Structures are given as structure tokens and as C-alpha cells.
Amino acid sequence: MNKLSIINEIDEMLNTYCEGCFVRTQIRKDQGKTAAHRFCISNCTIGTQLQFLGNELNKTGTTK
């Protein structure tokens, strides 16, 4: 994958799944911003996919 396709995929996932996410909004309201962020990183399936894509983006940045 090239950088542009990875960035486009990340952007599409954020717009499709993360914008207006009820779970994130509710956790943020009940427990705060840090807890919501922690949930997205560790428990959300979309968050783990975003982490994978971010790692792939880092790999493409270091190789020529």
C-alpha cells in the first residue's frame, strides 16, 4: 500500500465509524475524555484497525 491510500482509508474509517460514535460519546460524558480515548485505543475494533493502518503508514515512511 502507498501512503495516500493508507491515509484515505484512515480518513474514511474515521468519518464512517468514529464521527458521532454513541459509545465514545457516552463514555466521555460518564467517565471523561481520557477514558473514552482509552476505550477507543484498547477495546474498539475500529481503533485496533486504525492502529494497524498507522503502523503500516509508519513502515511506508521509513522505506524507499
Side-chain angles (χ1 to χ4, degrees):
M1 296 179 96
N2 63 19
K3 286 183 181 183
L4 189 57
S5 66
I6 294 172
I7 291 171
N8 286 334
E9 190 170 345
I10 289 172
D11 190 43
E12 182 180 332
M13 288 181 72
L14 285 171
N15 289 333
T16 303
Y17 299 107
C18 298
E19 286 294 318
C21 175
F22 175 75
V23 176
R24 184 178 142 260
T25 306
Q26 192 62 41
I27 293 173
R28 188 173 179 161
K29 186 187 303 181
D30 294 341
Q31 300 173 11
K33 188 169 33 172
T34 305
H37 183 73
R38 191 177 321 116
F39 168 79
C40 292
I41 290 174
S42 59
N43 296 5
C44 180
T45 57
I46 302 302
T48 55
Q49 290 175 354
L50 288 171
Q51 284 182 12
F52 171 77
L53 289 172
N55 289 334
E56 291 298 311
L57 189 60
N58 283 336
K59 289 178 189 175
T60 60
T62 58
T63 59
K64 290 253 175 187

